[in-house]
Amino acid sequence: MITANSPRAAEASQCAADQGQFWEYHDYLYEQATGLTEDQLVGYAGNLGLDTSEFTNCLNAGTHRDYIEEDSRTARLAGARGTPTFMVNGQLVAAPTFAILTAAIREAQGDG
């Protein structure tokens, strides 16, 4: 589900990527996060052992804001309204189960 705090969480994920921990931060958000406030986003970075000063500076500077805004625009234009959403061979596959996503990939490969 995309919320008002989702773009900031996406920026935070990119700031974590700057420290080589995108997937760790991503997984933490999806599996353990209890909220997406600014303080919580920084706290999660600390929980993962990231340099929180560098992380906070990245967020405050809006280092990845333009990238996230463009990515969000592209997703909305493609019809994405929540997470997870995937594009498989130009086809939108929104909030799929593993079986649905696998079938879409196989179909795109001609194995369907």
Side-chain angles (χ1 to χ4, degrees):
M1 176 177 187
I2 297 174
T3 70
N5 292 333
S6 296
R8 196 64 167 161
E11 281 187 71
S13 296
Q14 292 302 313
C15 291
D18 290 347
Q19 295 186 45
Q21 291 199 45
F22 174 84
W23 287 112
E24 293 83 355
Y25 195 84
H26 166 279
D27 292 348
Y28 192 98
L29 289 180
Y30 275 94
E31 296 169 4
Q32 299 182 41
T34 57
L36 301 176
T37 68
E38 196 85 11
D39 288 342
Q40 288 170 317
L41 294 172
V42 173
Y44 304 149
N47 292 347
L48 292 170
L50 296 174
D51 178 328
T52 55
S53 292
E54 183 180 329
F55 184 88
T56 301
N57 289 339
C58 176
L59 274 178
N60 290 342
T63 303
H64 300 287
R65 187 170 299 130
D66 290 345
Y67 169 76
I68 297 303
E69 287 175 357
E70 179 59 27
D71 196 48
S72 294
R73 271 191 298 277
T74 300
R76 280 191 305 277
L77 288 172
R81 299 291 178 257
T83 58
T85 300
F86 299 90
M87 294 295 288
V88 178
N89 203 26
Q91 298 296 315
L92 188 75
V93 183
T97 63
F98 182 75
I100 292 170
L101 184 57
T102 301
I105 293 168
R106 286 188 176 137
E107 184 176 324
Q109 293 174 325
D111 296 337

